[in-house]
Amino acid sequence: MEIRQIKYFLAVVDSGSVSRAARRLFVAQSALSKQISDLEIDLDVKLLHRSRSGVFPTESGKVFYEYGQAILKQIGDAREAVHFSSEAIVGNVVMGVPQSVSAALALPLINAVQAHLPNVSLHINEELTGNLLEQLWQGRVDLSVFTSNIQLQGFSFSPIAQEDFYLVKPAKGPKSTTCEEGDVSLQEALSGQLMLSGLQHSHCIRSIIEETAVRLDMQMPSLFAEINSVHILKIAVEAGQGNTIMPLALVQQEVTQGRLKAKRIDPTQISRTLGICTSNNIPATNAKRAVAQLIARLVGELSASGKWPSLRMSNLKDGAL
């Protein structure tokens, strides 16, 4: 297998046509077709379906496409690493952000990288946590913000903050620009008509709720609906379909506008630890380390300023960033 074969295969899939990929790569179409054919022979699988309307990957081709992206990314990282001094902070960093974190972190991080790491090109992937786990395994994502309940062999988890959960309900009565005062118990939060994410994407919120309920000997209710979208969850709650549980940062705007109400769930019963997850097997570039350190510092600033509500920085052990 040759690097150019991987590059050619990715180009064909991205272009949806061998002829378009050949023009893009400035190679003869016959030469490109032969390289793809040689790659299929080497892998002993068919990678592409060919039709009059174009080409598209087989199931095996889809798998190889994901790994191909990761391979070329790591080769690019290696090229950058050897062309700059050992102190230079230069290169591309792909950051994975789950939906439950992106609302509070994504834009401030983009601004912070532009201000403090001008030679770093930051790419942010917002995904469901299950998808991010796969991308992290494949090496397509350099680092990601996860919760401590996700166990990954071969990866390091560095805690950066503790975040409380809130019971989110439809707004009723006069508009309010603040959250309801006082805490609600987890048992009370589970007692209403509840909507949460589906089991296959439950890592950051639902699994923590269910694990805590088991630990506290509480009964999980039958869910009214399973919705794998923060946006749709909020719309459903606002429409009066039921309640949900999520961090306050995800509904701060709607609460301020009086469209939703939120009440903190007793933090002595339930909260989540956020941290930065990185691979132990893929070398960490200066750029990756710098972005990880910047995230930890930025989270502290957002917590102190109140721009990331419900976040707490205490009672965490320092991790190696």
Side-chain angles (χ1 to χ4, degrees):
M1 186 186 302
E2 300 178 10
I3 294 173
R4 66 173 175 173
Q5 291 175 327
I6 301 173
K7 180 181 178 181
Y8 287 177
F9 171 73
L10 296 185
V12 170
V13 173
D14 290 339
S15 301
S17 163
V18 175
S19 59
R20 285 196 293 269
R23 290 194 297 269
R24 172 181 164 187
L25 295 167
F26 301 102
V27 298
Q29 184 173 335
S30 59
L32 178 56
S33 295
K34 184 179 185 307
Q35 290 297 327
I36 298 298
S37 178
D38 289 345
L39 181 60
E40 289 179 318
I41 292 172
D42 183 37
L43 293 171
D44 194 27
V45 294
K46 187 176 182 179
L47 295 173
L48 296 171
H49 287 299
R50 297 163 176 85
S51 67
R52 292 182 180 180
S53 60
V55 297
F56 55 94
T58 63
E59 290 304 312
S60 296
K62 292 176 183 178
V63 172
F64 188 75
Y65 180 85
E66 304 294 341
Y67 280 97
Q69 285 185 314
I71 291 168
L72 292 188
K73 181 188 181 307
Q74 291 178 40
I75 291 173
D77 289 346
R79 291 183 188 278
E80 290 175 346
V82 299
H83 278 91
F84 295 96
S85 71
S86 58
E87 292 81 22
I89 302 177
V90 179
N92 297 303
V93 176
V94 180
M95 170 74 186
V97 186
Q99 289 184 345
S100 63
V101 171
S102 63
L105 181 61
L107 183 57
L109 179 60
I110 291 171
N111 293 333
V113 169
Q114 290 176 342
H116 301 289
L117 302 172
N119 295 319
V120 172
S121 178
L122 178 68
H123 305 263
I124 295 181
N125 288 1
E126 183 197 49
E127 293 275 7
L128 294 167
T129 305
N131 297 338
L132 280 179
L133 286 169
E134 184 176 351
Q135 292 177 14
L136 196 63
W137 274 112
Q138 293 170 344
R140 295 166 55 204
V141 167
D142 293 311
L143 50 91
S144 183
V145 174
F146 281 147
T147 49
S148 59
N149 64 310
I150 300 173
Q151 302 297 321
L152 288 173
Q153 291 186 347
F155 291 84
S156 295
F157 180 84
S158 301
I160 54 176
Q162 200 81 14
E163 188 169 28
D164 298 331
F165 285 165
Y166 280 67
L167 173 63
V168 181
K169 304 181 293 184
K172 296 178 181 177
K175 288 187 177 181
S176 172
T177 58
T178 60
C179 293
E180 294 182 340
E181 296 182 358
D183 294 339
V184 63
S185 70
L186 179 59
Q187 185 69 63
E188 185 178 347
L190 296 176
S191 63
Q193 188 162 279
L194 199 60
M195 301 179 290
L196 295 172
S197 60
L199 285 172
Q200 69 273 33
H201 297 295
S202 68
H203 307 83
C204 279
I205 295 180
R206 179 171 170 179
S207 65
I208 295 176
I209 296 169
E210 294 196 347
E211 290 166 8
T212 303
V214 170
R215 177 172 57 82
L216 298 178
D217 197 25
M218 296 180 184
Q219 184 69 35
M220 276 295 297
S222 297
L223 296 180
F224 173 71
E226 295 184 342
I227 302 174
N228 295 325
S229 165
V230 171
H231 177 66
I232 297 175
L233 259 177
K234 292 193 291 185
I235 290 176
V237 174
E238 188 174 350
Q241 297 297 315
N243 304 331
T244 192
I245 295 173
M246 60 177 61
L248 181 59
L250 291 176
V251 292
Q252 182 65 56
Q253 182 177 0
E254 290 83 359
V255 169
T256 300
Q257 294 172 349
R259 295 159 53 194
L260 294 173
K261 286 187 177 180
K263 194 167 186 178
R264 189 175 70 165
I265 302 174
D266 185 352
T268 65
Q269 291 186 311
I270 187 170
S271 64
R272 68 176 183 174
T273 300
L274 298 176
I276 300 172
C277 193
T278 55
S279 173
N280 295 332
N281 301 316
I282 299 176
T285 63
N286 290 342
K288 295 176 189 177
R289 283 191 289 266
V291 170
Q293 292 166 355
L294 181 60
I295 291 170
R297 188 165 67 250
L298 178 62
V299 166
E301 293 172 358
L302 292 172
S303 173
S305 66
K307 293 180 180 179
W308 191 334
S310 75
L311 211 61
R312 294 179 281 114
M313 307 302 296
S314 60
N315 301 323
L316 292 176
K317 295 180 179 179
D318 292 333
L321 294 175

